[in-house]
Amino acid sequence: MTTPERWTRTVREQLRLGRLLPLGGPRDGAWVAERAAREALLAAARGVPGVRPERLRIAPAAPGETHEPVVPAPPSALPPGPLRVTADFAASAAEPLPAAAARLRAALAEAATRGIGLTVTDVDLRATELLDAVPEPEPEPVSGTGPAGPPVVPGEADGTDEGRAAGAALAVPGVRGLTGALGRPVHITEPDAGREAALPRRHVRVELAVDADRTAAEVARAVRAAVAGALPDHPTVAVLVTAIG
């Protein structure tokens, strides 16, 4: 694959993933693809009785209240800060609409904060339709078919620093596999002494998929510690979660 083809593929993958949302707080050094987070929230919403979720979006709640991350962010990633979830939904006419909205808001807030680890401060809902019948629960998606597709696992036993970092990440509980949406699953940036704003030391970015039954932010923190400890120079580490489930 030529360099222009690789760039084109990377751009297409990033558009497919959506924006890269901050995961946890400014000291966590982790991000999650918007599409992965949105699918996880929609899965939680589908479990709310009497509600049919529709459009859902995650965006900064206060663009002026962001922070500098402790590590270099992935390309075009949003800075750490509070987030807002906005969602449309249809609900059964068999009960008062505020009651259905309250259950949906609670489920989305729980899934966002405890299930994923997003700093969500607002959940805004809009009812678009009243249904005559109670909507049937939707089937759960098959595990391993998340937004980023099946995990791609590189050769972690090749003796390179990329391989050692990959092996350390894969050994963390909750990591389902490594992905390569923005290029390589493990991307190492070397310090450049000739540049004015050079990195003080090496920086590693790890892309991965996590299990849905663990908090993505907690898994990301554990991966950061494991990867930094696996390399002799203890580089800075950023984690990008591209799939949940």
Side-chain angles (χ1 to χ4, degrees):
M1 183 182 293
T2 65
T3 299
E5 289 173 336
R6 284 195 296 270
W7 276 107
T8 300
R9 176 186 172 187
T10 299
V11 170
R12 286 175 178 170
E13 283 290 338
Q14 189 152 358
L15 289 173
R16 190 167 67 91
L17 293 173
R19 291 173 297 182
L20 306 184
L21 307 171
L23 190 57
R27 299 191 62 81
D28 287 316
W31 286 261
V32 61
E34 181 182 12
R35 182 174 177 181
R38 184 172 63 243
E39 291 298 324
L41 294 186
L42 285 172
R46 293 185 189 105
V48 178
V51 168
R52 186 183 70 199
E54 296 177 346
R55 186 186 68 91
L56 186 145
R57 188 169 184 266
I58 310 167
E65 298 180 11
T66 59
H67 307 277
E68 284 293 325
V70 293
V71 298
S76 73
L78 294 178
L83 299 169
R84 173 183 288 110
V85 174
T86 58
D88 294 346
F89 70 100
S92 168
E95 68 170 335
L97 190 59
R103 290 202 312 275
L104 178 58
R105 181 176 288 107
L108 289 174
E110 176 77 9
T113 56
R114 294 183 181 273
I116 303 175
L118 299 173
T119 305
V120 170
T121 56
D122 301 290
V123 179
D124 295 337
L125 302 177
R126 184 180 69 165
T128 58
E129 185 181 358
L130 283 177
L131 305 173
D132 293 331
V134 177
E136 293 292 331
E138 297 185 27
E140 290 292 329
V142 178
S143 178
T145 58
V152 177
V153 181
E156 66 270 18
D158 59 6
T160 66
D161 282 352
E162 289 83 356
R164 282 187 282 271
L170 288 168
V172 173
V175 173
R176 187 161 57 84
L178 302 185
T179 62
L182 300 185
R184 299 188 299 275
V186 176
H187 183 272
I188 298 180
T189 303
E190 299 288 344
D192 187 351
R195 295 179 61 183
E196 187 173 333
L199 292 170
R201 50 189 170 139
R202 287 201 303 173
H203 176 67
V204 181
R205 184 182 74 232
V206 183
E207 294 182 30
L208 50 84
V210 302
D211 291 329
D213 58 353
R214 291 180 179 265
T215 303
E218 293 178 358
V219 175
R221 284 193 290 268
V223 168
R224 288 188 64 216
V227 171
L231 301 180
D233 57 335
H234 303 293
T236 59
V237 180
V239 170
L240 172 58
V241 176
T242 60
I244 300 173

